[in-house]
Amino acid sequence: MTLYLPSRLPNVGTTIFTVMSRLAAEHGAINLSQGFPDFSPSPRLLERVTHHMAAGANQYPPMAGVASLREAIAEKVARLYLANYDPETEVTVTAGATQAIYTAIAACVRPGDEVIVFAPVYDSYVPGIELNGGHAVHAHLRFPEFKPDWDEVRALITPRTRMIIINSPHNPSGSVWSAADMAMLETLVRDTKIVVVSDEVYEHVVFDQQDGGSLRHESVTRYPGLRERSFVVSSFGKTYHVTGWKVAYCLAPRALMGEFRKAHQFIVFTVHHPAQLALADFMREHPEFADTLASFYQAKRDFFRQQLEGSRFVLLPCAGTYFQLATYAAISDEPDTSFVQRLTKQHGVAAIPVSAFNPDGDDQRVIRFCFAKNEATLAAAGERLRAL
Ligand code: PMP
Ligand code: GLN
């Protein structure tokens, strides 16, 4: 007999990142789909992990994360955003940003609560909301600018709105919210009980800052009216080229963090001990590393864009993240999901269809390339893409 299990997530299949990475591997394609670097992290960071393993850091670390890492995080946030978080009570190390976001939702969202998300929406948010009995309400970041429409957001807020999840720099569009956007959000939530989850995993990857200095990462920690109600999430995976380590963190004011930790201790309890110690050492030794990330990835963005010059792809602006969007109307009128399949199988380059981030599979015929790759990889992909 097969047991019939009514699905808690009836509309969810395997994530597009897994699907496309698998397809890329099957066909030997250059994998610009799932977002991860194809280059190594700093040898010093690797050396610190093995050092701490050999030195005996192989049992459970404290539930909220090792003290030295929480302190290093609080120092970084104070330096960059002039925001003070108490490492003891307001910083928690998590098993990736995915777990931090899920835990924040689990700690706050009750059955029937509404959570506003912005589509295209990172794929883990809505399942996280639904597993906790919440209802996702979609605001739209409209093609091609992918900017928030604050009149729409205002209209979506109801007495049942428990949470708003934001993400800047934004995956997949590469758009970056401005100070005016943050001020609008701050105004909209004033005098409400709405909690904000701010997914800032690409906080260090904002481009063109030197050209007039207009663009900078607008962390919610800079805005007192947002900070007081926000869970702020960042990921060491993105910053230190170690996506496979799944180590990240969450910041929140003490009362919110207290609720977060109640859930965290039963979802994962704690996180890989030697990796935490290694990251703490590395952050202390190289506080400048995070500050160099924007120019590092900007060079890759520019190199990849150059590779696509003369191709029939049209590139959208990319202000942050390590993703480049492109339209392909001059090449094909296929839906984006079939186009990326064909691109992978016949042309040897894997990408992500942006419709996978839209609630109703809304398809603007846009695909996402990850440029967190060595120049040789980007050049080889460029050659194949120019041939289409
Ligand atoms: N949020 C966004 C916007 C992401 O792009 C990612 C990963 N690429 C995550 C969360 C998850 O990060 P982690 O791997 O640390 O769980
Ligand atoms: N966040 C990564 C991306 O956008 C993928 C992470 C994952 O595979 N879960 O490509």
Side-chain angles (χ1 to χ4, degrees), residues 15 17-18 33-36 98 122-123 171 202 238 246 323 352 357 368:
T15 85
F17 309 119
T18 298
S33 65
Q34 191 177 27
F36 62 88
T98 312
Y122 185 65
D123 73 337
N171 179 7
Y202 302 103
K238 314 290 169 192
K246 296 297 292 185
F323 301 117
I352 296 287
F357 294 76
R368 188 196 82 175

Side-chain angles (χ1 to χ4, degrees), residues 58-350:
N58 300 304
Q59 310 309 330
Y60 295 125
M63 183 268 276
V66 300
S68 57
L69 183 56
R70 284 184 279 128
E71 281 157 18
I73 294 165
E75 277 166 30
K76 181 198 84 170
V77 175
R79 177 171 64 83
L80 290 182
Y81 309 125
L82 308 177
N84 291 315
Y85 285 87
D86 177 359
E88 197 47 41
T89 55
E90 300 183 316
V91 180
T92 299
V93 180
T94 61
T98 312
Q99 185 242 312
I101 294 161
Y102 184 86
T103 303
I105 294 167
C108 299
V109 173
R110 294 159 194 258
D113 282 351
E114 292 175 0
V115 180
I116 297 176
V117 296
F118 292 80
V121 55
Y122 185 65
D123 73 337
S124 80
Y125 303 170
V126 174
I129 295 162
E130 292 179 347
L131 282 171
N132 287 285
H135 176 56
V137 175
H138 291 85
H140 296 89
L141 302 170
R142 287 206 171 76
F143 173 82
E145 281 89 17
F146 296 99
K147 297 285 182 207
D149 171 347
W150 291 110
D151 290 334
E152 183 192 25
V153 179
R154 184 182 295 107
L156 293 176
I157 293 178
T158 76
R160 288 185 302 282
T161 308
R162 173 79 279 197
M163 177 181 280
I164 300 180
I165 307 182
I166 66 173
N167 167 222
S168 174
H170 180 245
N171 179 7
S173 74
S175 67
V176 171
W177 285 19
S178 65
D181 289 321
M182 304 309 284
M184 277 304 301
L185 181 63
E186 194 174 32
T187 306
L188 283 186
V189 296
R190 187 175 296 146
D191 302 324
T192 72
K193 294 205 168 73
I194 296 171
V195 166
V196 172
V197 171
S198 184
D199 178 346
E200 303 188 9
V201 300
Y202 302 103
E203 64 177 321
H204 303 298
V205 193
V206 176
F207 302 134
D208 306 312
Q209 295 176 94
Q210 62 277 34
D211 306 338
S214 56
L215 264 188
R216 64 171 196 179
H217 172 57
E218 297 296 342
S219 173
V220 293
T221 58
R222 295 183 191 273
Y223 297 82
L226 293 175
R227 217 192 105 188
E228 65 184 13
R229 61 181 70 243
S230 291
F231 294 98
V232 187
V233 176
S234 187
S235 177
F236 296 110
K238 314 290 169 192
T239 304
Y240 297 107
H241 315 315
V242 288
T243 61
W245 289 13
K246 296 297 292 185
V247 185
Y249 65 84
C250 181
L251 313 169
R254 187 183 182 128
L256 292 184
M257 186 51 83
E259 290 306 309
F260 181 97
R261 287 183 181 173
K262 284 187 199 174
H264 174 79
Q265 65 188 340
F266 297 122
I267 291 175
V268 66
F269 181 66
T270 191
V271 178
H272 196 271
H273 195 170
Q276 290 193 55
L277 292 169
L279 286 162
D281 291 348
F282 193 76
M283 284 178 82
R284 284 212 189 289
E285 287 174 12
H286 295 286
E288 79 297 341
F289 186 92
D291 306 331
T292 62
L293 211 61
S295 56
F296 175 79
Y297 275 125
Q298 186 164 324
K300 292 200 179 290
R301 178 200 64 175
D302 294 346
F303 183 81
F304 184 57
R305 290 179 70 97
Q306 248 169 32
Q307 293 304 308
L308 290 187
E309 272 171 25
S311 81
R312 291 193 291 163
F313 289 94
V314 174
L315 302 183
L316 273 60
C318 169
T321 75
Y322 46 51
F323 301 117
Q324 172 66 57
L325 293 191
T327 58
Y328 54 89
I331 301 169
S332 160
D333 62 1
E334 286 162 279
D336 63 358
T337 43
S338 8
F339 183 68
V340 292
Q341 297 258 340
R342 201 162 62 75
L343 194 62
T344 309
K345 293 178 193 167
Q346 293 178 7
H347 302 279
V349 181

